[in-house]
Amino acid sequence: MTRSITNGSSVGIDAIAVHVPRLYMDLCGEWANVRASELGEATVEGLVGKVRKGVGVEQMAIPDAHEDSATLAAMAAVKVIEQAGIDPRDVGSIAVGTETTVDQSKSIAAYVLGMLERRFNVELREAGAPQFQFACIGATYALEAAVNSFRAGEATKPYALVIATDISKYPLRTSGEYTQGAGAVAMLVSKNPRLVALDARVLATITRDERDFFRPNGLSTAVVDGKYSIDVYLDCIAEAARLYVRRAREALELENAGIDDIVDDFLFHIPFPRMAEYAALRVLGEAWRADDSRRAALAATTPLVADPESGGANRRAFEKQLAQDPAFARFFKDRIGPSLSLSRRIGNIYSGSMYLGLASLLEHAEDRAKLRGRRVGFFSYGSGASARVFSGVFVDPESYTPHVRALLAPADEGGGRIPLELAQYERLHGGPAAGDVPLSLVQPAASTVRPRNEFALVRIGTESSPSRTDVGYRYYDWVAG
Ligand code: HMG
C-alpha cells in the first residue's frame, strides 16, 4: 500500500460534496436540431456526433434565475458538512475559488458564511473567508492555502472549507456553447483526512501570461480562442507534469520512475471530457516515448513512437496514433475514464471541474474500496494561464458518500433533474433584461422551476438613503420545499 509523502503531519481532503443545478440542457435533442444549421454542420447527426464523441458531453447543467455562484457554493458547503457529520463551528476558514463572482468587492465566501450561519443557526464570525481567482485553477490555489495553514500549525479549528463554484457561459451559437455547465464542489480540509492525504514537497506549478481565455469586466460570457486554449493547456500541463515527476522521484526515492509508475489514477482539469484524453496523450505520450521498454512495446501498434519528430512536428500525428493503441486505450479506460463520467452530464464547471473528476472517480470506480492506498494525481489548469500538478493517496475511499449520480437521475427514477426546452434555456442564458440598468442591479427574473429546499437569490437591494444603502446588494434565503 502506497503512503503519502508528509512533512511530519498528514493533511488533505477529509470529505467532498458536489452541487449542480437541477435544470439541464440536453445536447442531443432539440438543441442539436436547431443548432446544426446555425453552427454550419451539414447534418444534425454530424453535430450530435461531434458533441458526444468529439467533445464528450451530452448534457449541460444550467442555473435557474435564482441560482448563482454563491447559492451553488452554499449548497455544496451544506452538503459536505452534513455528509461528513461535522459541527459547522469546527470550520476555521472558508475559501472560495471562482471566476464567476457575484460582486466586484465582496467575497462569495462571506456570503456563504452568512448562509451557513442561518441554515445551521450557528455563529462563524471567527472564520476567515477569502476568494481566490485565477480562471479554473483558483480553487487549487485556495486548497493549497488551506492545506498549508494546517501544515504550518496555524489552523485554529479542525476543518477548513474550500469551495470551487462557477457558471461557465459562452455566447450562443458558438463552438464554446456546448462546453458550458454550472456547479460547485465543496471540500473539507483537515489533518489526518479520511479521504485523500495530500503529498508534501511535490507540488509543481507553471504560470505563463496568456490570452487563451478571459472575461473582460462587464461581459457575462467568456472570450476564448478555442484551439489556442487547448494548445496552452497542453503545454502548461506537460511542463508541470515534468516538474512534478522530478520532485516525486526525489521525494519517493524512485530514480527513473515515469509519471504512470508514480500516479495510479489521473484527474485532469475537464473543460470537456475529450480534453482529458488530449492531456493524457500529451503527458503519457512524452513519458512513454522517453522510456526504452515502453517504446519497444509500442513499436508495433504505434510506429510513430520511434519517429524523432514525434515530440515536435509530428506530435499531433503521434498522439492520434497513440489514441488508437490498445495499451493506451486500456490505460485510459482504467485509470482516467471513471473521472470523466459526471462531466459528460454536467459540463464544464470551471474551478470545480477537476474536483468533480474526483467525485466521479469515487462514484464510478469499479470497486471504491480498492482505491485505498492508490496515489491520485491532480492535473489542475486555469486559463490565463497556470497549471499545477500535485498528488495524494486515498485513505478511506469508503468514507465518501455517493450522491451525484442520484442527483442526476430523472425525477421518475427518484432524482430531481429537469430538462429544459431550448426557449427556456435561451431565456436563462440571456439573464435578466437589462435595459438601461447595469445587470448587477436588475432583480432576478422569475424562476423556471420554483426553488425548494435550497438557497435562492431572492432580491437585489434598491435602497440608497442616509440611513441605509444596499443598492445592488444580493440577498439570499433558504427556501423550504
Ligand atoms: P470545435 O469547433 O467543436 O472543434 O471546438 P473541432 O471541430 O476540432 O471538433 C472537436 C473534435 O470533434 C475533433 O476531434 C473532431 O474531429 C471531432 P479531434 O480531431 O480533436 O480528435 N468531431 C467528431 N467526432 C465524432 N463525430 C463527429 C465529429 N465531428 C467532429 N461527427 C472547442 C471545440 C473545445 C475548441 C470549443 O468547444 C471551445 O472553444 N470551447 C471552449 C474553450 C475550451 O474549453 N478550451 C479547453 C482548454 S482551456 C481550459 O480548459 C480552461 C477553461 O476551462 C477556462 C478556465 O480555465 O477558466 C476553458
Side-chain angles (χ1 to χ4, degrees):
M1 162 130 20
T2 313
R3 279 183 195 283
S4 64
I5 307 162
T6 70
N7 263 355
S9 60
S10 164
V11 178
I13 303 168
D14 186 68
I16 182 169
V18 174
H19 180 76
V20 291
R22 65 167 68 91
L23 301 182
Y24 74 95
M25 190 69 220
D26 192 299
L27 292 170
C28 306
E30 187 192 5
W31 178 88
N33 288 336
V34 174
R35 284 291 184 270
S37 58
E38 293 175 345
L39 288 170
E41 285 290 331
T43 61
V44 173
E45 293 70 34
L47 179 59
V48 172
K50 175 194 258 202
V51 170
R52 288 184 74 175
K53 293 216 170 70
V55 176
V57 284
E58 299 186 359
Q59 299 166 346
M60 314 182 288
I62 305 293
D64 207 334
H66 59 268
E67 293 179 300
D68 62 16
S69 295
T71 64
L72 298 175
M75 290 300 292
V78 167
K79 273 187 205 172
V80 80
I81 288 169
E82 288 181 346
Q83 287 175 4
I86 67 155
D87 185 330
R89 286 166 297 194
D90 282 341
V91 172
S93 73
I94 303 172
V96 165
T98 187
E99 59 175 295
T100 49
T101 194
V102 299
D103 190 280
Q104 292 301 306
S105 171
K106 179 168 172 167
S107 163
I108 285 183
Y111 273 120
V112 170
L113 181 146
M115 286 189 254
L116 294 180
E117 284 186 327
R118 297 195 291 281
R119 180 77 193 124
F120 291 114
N121 197 19
V122 293
E123 215 177 62
L124 299 173
R125 58 193 301 124
E126 288 183 17
Q131 179 167 307
F132 289 70
Q133 180 182 330
F134 193 155
C136 295
I137 202 171
T140 293
Y141 281 97
L143 177 64
E144 184 201 23
V147 167
N148 284 345
S149 76
F150 285 98
R151 288 193 178 136
E154 290 289 340
T156 53
K157 299 274 181 83
Y159 299 99
L161 186 52
V162 174
I163 312 167
T165 184
D166 270 310
I167 293 169
S168 160
K169 234 169 118 173
Y170 296 91
L172 300 177
R173 301 171 193 87
T174 65
S175 63
E177 187 185 354
Y178 37 89
T179 60
Q180 301 177 111
V185 181
M187 291 173 281
L188 286 172
V189 172
S190 71
K191 275 189 169 179
N192 302 318
R194 280 173 283 187
L195 193 57
V196 179
L198 292 172
D199 291 318
R201 302 196 312 272
V202 292
L203 171 75
T205 304
I206 294 296
T207 303
R208 286 173 16 185
D209 180 6
E210 283 288 353
R211 55 147 193 95
D212 54 332
F213 164 109
F214 51 94
R215 187 166 61 89
N217 287 340
L219 287 194
S220 69
T221 52
V223 179
V224 64
D225 188 336
K227 299 283 174 351
Y228 181 61
S229 75
I230 293 175
D231 290 342
V232 179
Y233 174 128
L234 293 175
D235 284 356
C236 290
I237 280 287
E239 196 177 347
R242 288 193 292 274
L243 190 54
Y244 166 85
V245 168
R246 279 212 297 281
R247 294 193 173 145
R249 278 177 180 167
E250 203 172 298
L252 293 164
E253 297 175 13
L254 284 175
E255 212 185 327
N256 299 327
I259 185 98
D260 51 325
D261 302 316
I262 299 167
V263 168
D264 298 307
D265 297 292
F266 289 67
L267 302 176
F268 289 102
H269 166 55
I270 317 168
F272 51 91
R274 264 315 284 300
M275 187 70 228
E277 187 189 330
Y278 300 155
L281 287 165
R282 178 64 48 89
V283 169
L284 293 161
E286 280 195 1
W288 291 357
R289 262 192 307 113
D291 180 291
D292 290 345
S293 62
R294 284 281 193 187
R295 235 187 5 258
L298 285 173
T301 40
T302 301
L304 279 173
V305 74
D307 182 340
E309 277 304 310
S310 60
N314 294 339
R315 187 163 61 185
R316 188 83 179 105
F318 162 63
E319 288 171 357
K320 284 223 164 217
Q321 207 171 65
L322 184 60
Q324 304 305 319
D325 191 285
F328 176 81
R330 205 166 38 248
F331 185 98
F332 190 81
K333 179 173 166 289
D334 293 345
R335 290 166 67 172
I336 300 166
S339 69
L340 307 178
S341 300
L342 293 177
S343 294
R344 291 188 204 291
R345 302 186 55 202
I346 293 172
N348 191 359
I349 61 167
Y350 286 160
S351 59
S353 295
M354 184 185 68
Y355 301 99
L356 182 65
L358 174 58
S360 186
L361 169 60
L362 287 158
E363 298 209 6
H364 288 86
E366 250 170 48
D367 183 349
R368 188 167 35 251
K370 288 198 177 144
L371 291 175
R372 182 191 298 268
R374 284 172 72 85
R375 174 161 279 111
V376 56
F378 295 82
F379 296 75
S380 188
Y381 175 73
S383 285
S386 185
R388 310 192 97 191
V389 176
F390 58 104
S391 56
V393 174
F394 281 110
V395 181
D396 176 12
E398 294 198 272
S399 66
Y400 174 77
T401 312
H403 58 289
V404 195
R405 283 170 92 163
L407 196 75
L408 300 183
D412 54 2
E413 286 172 28
R417 248 191 156 197
I418 300 168
L420 285 168
E421 290 170 6
L422 187 64
Q424 293 174 310
Y425 153 71
E426 290 188 351
R427 178 182 73 85
L428 286 168
H429 191 280
D436 296 335
V437 187
L439 276 180
S440 55
L441 302 184
V442 178
Q443 295 300 328
S447 300
T448 307
V449 176
R450 202 181 69 78
R452 62 188 158 85
N453 295 327
E454 64 188 296
F455 289 112
L457 172 67
V458 288
R459 71 182 177 91
I460 306 282
T462 54
E463 286 185 60
S464 179
S465 75
S467 61
R468 183 183 167 86
T469 298
D470 72 352
V471 185
Y473 190 77
R474 299 169 86 81
Y475 288 94
Y476 299 99
D477 263 342
W478 179 263
V479 182

